[in-house]
Amino acid sequence: MRRAAVKAIRTSLLSTVRGFRANRRGSFASVYNRYYPGQSRHVSSSSILRSPPRPVVPEYVLREPIRSSMYVRRASIAVVSALVGYGAWYSYSGDNSSQVSRAYSSQTTGPNGATQTRTVLVIGPDELRTGTWVGEGPISKRTSDDGRKMVEMLTPEQATQKLRKTEESFFVNRGQGVVRYDMMQLPSNDPIEDDHHEAIVEYSSPGTEKVAPNDWMFWGVFDGHSGWTTSNKLRQTLIQYVARELNDTYLSAGALTPSPEAVDAAIKTGFTRLDDEIVHQSVQKVLKSNSKAVAAQTLAPALSGSCALLSFYDCKSKLLRVACTGDSRAVLGRKSQSGKWTATALSNDQTGSNPDEAARLRKEHPGEDYVVRNGRVLGSLEPTRAFGDAVYKWSRETAERIQEQYFGRRPSPLVRTPPYVTAEPVVTTTKIEPEQGDFVVLATDGLWEMLSNEEVVGLVGKWIETERASAGSGLNKQLNAVWTRAFGSPSQTLPVEANTATEGDDGQKAPFRTRQWGTSPESDRFVVEDKNVATHLIRNALGGKNQEQVSALLTLPSPHSRRYRDDLTVQVIFFGYGEKTGKVVVNEEATASANAPLKAKL
């Protein structure tokens, strides 16, 4: 999750590229000659943005840098769209070491013995520079004494392989209003702090045991911060806690249907009971054991934190409830009378920048001027609702005792009346229209930093057009039948209604990464290349048609990648009525590794 304030960076296209010459500190030439004396190497720039012919430049030239969101000095820069990733870079240790670590291999000589070039990136604390490396031998990891590193860029093919590494897709042949869902994750942190979980629960009302059970379907995305342990805990237990509360609520209603308020309350209770176990019951367990080993295992989910976005679809009522704790987001795509899709947010970003959330906190903590500062809780934590984050929930006495006896950080001097953060979600309810081909996108905030709600829905609509046009035999037929009713002839632009509201007026965070990267916001930058729609969304979020930029953002190693993109987790659920076999089947053409057919998680 993005936890640092971001400053938008202005970019400009330079008609000529100013060289980073050999006699300047940290140049490729000076570093390589220092490590490999007597060996000739040539480095040149390769502009991603088209510009007029350049004059003759010195032998060693690098592109003007792209600066990260952490860089605050004003500068004219050119966008980098070619970087390198972890698993694809060379490491150099010592002046005479011959050990080279490399996961992806690039040929340095052609079939006739001709020397080939390799695209490289120099990563600095505050900037990136790209160029071309001509010659054989290893590429040095460290290029200067100021911490800059040089890495080799993934090819478009390798970038696609990495992009599709975690994609999953399933056909839901239950005949209860859901036909398919796709999922994909892309890490930026190492290890990734996001997580996810999906489950189907069969439920039979009292007195209806002889009737086929009703499906409760759950999808959840969990955006961790300050570590991965809290989001991992949510993956293991949150749906279980919520399903248990829902079961008790429906049983209490007998043959009747529980009231909407009772169902919402059950979901909220599931969230808050789990958070109480994470934050407060864990402390009692640790103090009772008086063991640092127990403390290390038990307190980890309390000391880190996670947002949670959980959707609950009751197939009988066709009601979709979305419970949001934090700033992940759910968006509904629905066909309008104009023939285009409309994008409707099913959740609000719960951050200190949301006026409603800021007002709630100030009301709960009167007289504390810094309860919300710079859009953050106590000037530090961006989400106003989250699991874990115990330092904002424990009393000062508890926090200090845990810190003194075991570990952890001391509470902020601003802490006066905790808790300041709650795990209680805001729940929305939407009537789904499966026969109209509705779909829902759930994603952690990393996606919404790059794309707007309308762009996401339009991209899914464009993907549906392409899939419908190429639908063949087998399981795709059931989707084609749903999508044929939803779409007419393919369009040249994104088939989505424009948003007339002003960005940010509703408290939702607006995309800023394209401004940071300096890329065009025009819709013609998008492309359809993937069978998995979640992968399709992430590819276009990273650059779409601009393959160099996609490769760049995919191959930048952690922790440097965190300046340019967040962890990404995306789920897309397609509603409709298709084949009814009672099974959940792996969609092999949209899944990275074709596993054995899955059964519903009952």
Side-chain angles (χ1 to χ4, degrees):
M1 167 174 290
R2 176 173 169 268
R3 287 292 170 267
V6 174
K7 182 165 291 190
I9 299 178
R10 303 184 53 153
T11 63
S12 63
L13 173 63
L14 305 181
S15 59
T16 60
V17 179
R18 297 182 180 178
F20 189 56
R21 292 175 172 81
N23 60 352
R24 294 181 63 180
R25 185 172 61 119
S27 70
F28 284 180
S30 62
V31 173
Y32 194 95
N33 290 336
R34 187 186 333 138
Y35 288 156
Y36 304 100
Q39 300 188 41
S40 175
R41 293 294 179 270
H42 177 74
V43 178
S44 63
S45 67
S46 58
S47 178
I48 294 163
L49 303 177
R50 297 186 181 276
S51 61
R54 291 174 289 177
V56 176
V57 292
E59 179 181 10
Y60 299 102
V61 178
L62 292 176
R63 173 180 310 175
E64 284 288 326
I66 176 174
R67 305 191 187 277
S68 76
S69 60
M70 305 295 289
Y71 193 83
V72 296
R73 181 167 60 87
R74 295 179 180 177
S76 295
I77 59 176
V79 167
V80 171
S81 32
L83 325 177
V84 101
Y86 58 83
W89 51 302
Y90 298 78
S91 61
Y92 176 83
S93 303
D95 291 348
N96 299 314
S97 173
S98 61
Q99 295 182 350
V100 177
S101 173
R102 178 180 176 186
Y104 290 110
S105 176
S106 296
Q107 230 181 342
T108 57
T109 57
N112 299 323
T115 302
Q116 295 186 353
T117 62
R118 289 176 280 177
T119 304
V120 293
L121 174 79
V122 172
I123 306 170
D126 303 310
E127 66 180 19
L128 303 175
R129 296 175 180 268
T130 59
T132 340
W133 179 280
V134 182
E136 301 177 0
I139 295 179
S140 171
K141 175 182 176 183
R142 181 173 294 278
T143 62
S144 68
D145 294 334
D146 59 3
R148 287 197 299 269
K149 298 179 181 180
M150 190 197 310
V151 289
E152 183 177 1
M153 178 177 167
L154 293 175
T155 66
E157 293 77 17
Q158 291 168 341
T160 293
Q161 181 182 6
K162 179 178 179 180
L163 186 66
R164 297 175 177 173
K165 185 177 181 181
T166 63
E167 65 180 10
E168 297 176 359
S169 178
F170 300 90
F171 293 112
V172 185
N173 300 328
R174 307 276 296 176
Q176 298 206 42
V178 176
V179 291
R180 170 175 171 170
Y181 69 89
D182 290 12
M183 196 284 302
M184 193 266 188
Q185 284 190 300
L186 180 68
S188 182
N189 294 293
D190 185 13
I192 187 172
E193 295 180 345
D194 283 6
D195 222 318
H196 67 96
H197 192 206
E198 307 81 31
I200 298 175
V201 176
E202 288 185 334
Y203 175 78
S204 297
S205 302
T208 62
E209 289 76 8
K210 296 182 180 180
V211 180
N214 175 42
D215 279 355
W216 289 349
M217 298 188 181
F218 297 89
W219 296 270
V221 295
F222 314 120
D223 185 358
H225 49 265
S226 302
W228 55 269
T229 54
T230 312
S231 60
N232 181 69
K233 178 75 171 181
L234 300 185
R235 177 182 62 82
Q236 295 174 341
T237 57
L238 181 58
I239 291 179
Q240 175 186 348
Y241 269 69
V242 171
R244 182 186 302 135
E245 296 298 329
L246 287 170
N247 183 68
D248 292 344
T249 300
Y250 274 77
L251 287 176
S252 298
L256 302 177
T257 301
S259 67
E261 295 77 12
V263 176
D264 290 355
I267 295 173
K268 293 178 180 180
T269 300
F271 273 58
T272 55
R273 283 188 173 175
L274 175 56
D275 192 56
D276 180 72
E277 176 186 305
I278 292 172
V279 174
H280 298 296
Q281 294 182 35
S282 61
V283 172
Q284 301 304 317
K285 183 178 179 180
V286 167
L287 295 178
K288 184 177 180 179
S289 69
N290 195 29
S291 166
K292 289 190 175 181
V294 172
Q297 180 179 2
T298 306
L299 293 178
L303 295 174
S304 60
S306 180
C307 300
L309 182 69
L310 183 68
S311 64
F312 160 51
Y313 182 59
D314 184 339
C315 296
K316 183 178 180 180
S317 66
K318 300 181 184 177
L319 292 178
L320 177 73
R321 285 180 167 83
V322 173
C324 180
T325 292
D327 58 2
S328 297
R329 192 184 305 171
V331 175
L332 170 70
R334 172 169 289 171
K335 198 68 176 297
S336 67
Q337 293 181 351
S338 69
K340 295 183 177 181
W341 295 94
T342 58
T344 304
L346 304 183
S347 63
N348 287 321
D349 301 347
Q350 298 157 359
T351 68
S353 299
N354 183 320
D356 292 338
E357 287 295 291
R360 176 181 64 81
L361 281 171
R362 292 191 176 101
K363 183 179 179 180
E364 293 175 355
H365 304 276
E368 298 187 45
D369 296 336
Y370 294 110
V371 64
V372 178
R373 186 180 184 184
N374 299 326
R376 295 167 180 267
V377 179
L378 301 181
S380 180
L381 184 67
E382 187 171 17
T384 54
R385 300 177 189 242
F387 284 84
D389 288 319
V391 70
Y392 298 93
K393 300 173 181 177
W394 286 337
S395 66
R396 177 175 293 277
E397 293 74 19
T398 298
E400 291 176 347
R401 183 177 181 184
I402 292 296
Q403 195 271 336
E404 291 171 0
Q405 294 186 14
Y406 301 101
F407 42 74
R409 53 181 176 141
R410 299 185 67 84
S412 166
L414 299 176
V415 171
R416 292 168 55 188
T417 57
Y420 293 92
V421 177
T422 178
E424 180 177 301
V426 174
V427 181
T428 64
T429 303
T430 304
K431 185 77 170 184
I432 295 297
E433 299 177 1
E435 63 280 356
Q436 298 300 320
D438 286 356
F439 64 83
V440 170
V441 179
L442 283 72
T444 52
D445 69 331
L447 182 72
W448 310 110
E449 292 175 353
M450 303 178 184
L451 297 171
S452 68
N453 297 352
E454 288 70 30
E455 287 173 330
V456 166
V457 169
L459 281 165
V460 175
K462 191 68 176 175
W463 179 89
I464 290 175
E465 287 184 348
T466 304
E467 286 295 294
R468 190 176 70 83
S470 62
S473 59
L475 291 169
N476 278 334
K477 285 185 175 180
Q478 59 180 302
L479 298 178
N480 190 30
V482 175
W483 293 341
T484 297
R485 294 192 298 268
F487 252 90
S489 59
S491 59
Q492 297 301 315
T493 58
L494 294 183
V496 63
E497 297 282 2
N499 180 17
T500 57
T502 303
E503 283 188 350
D505 283 353
D506 56 358
Q508 303 280 53
K509 290 190 294 186
F512 64 87
R513 292 294 186 183
T514 53
R515 295 194 300 272
Q516 179 192 9
W517 303 333
T519 55
S520 169
E522 300 301 324
S523 60
D524 62 358
R525 74 185 189 272
F526 301 126
V527 68
V528 180
E529 295 183 359
D530 302 285
K531 289 295 184 179
N532 185 300
V533 68
T535 306
H536 163 73
L537 287 175
I538 292 179
R539 179 189 295 277
N540 283 283
L542 297 176
K545 288 182 179 179
N546 190 338
Q547 290 187 345
E548 287 183 309
Q549 180 173 305
V550 173
S551 295
L553 295 171
L554 280 172
T555 56
L556 184 64
S558 178
H560 306 286
S561 59
R562 192 58 191 82
R563 299 176 182 174
Y564 298 90
R565 62 177 179 84
D566 199 352
D567 292 334
L568 290 161
T569 299
V570 178
Q571 294 174 332
V572 184
I573 301 102
F574 293 103
F575 297 92
Y577 294 104
E579 185 178 0
K580 186 175 181 179
T581 64
K583 297 180 179 179
V584 177
V585 182
V586 174
N587 177 11
E588 295 186 3
E589 70 174 358
T591 300
S593 58
N595 300 315
L598 297 181
K599 295 182 179 180
K601 301 174 183 177
L602 305 178

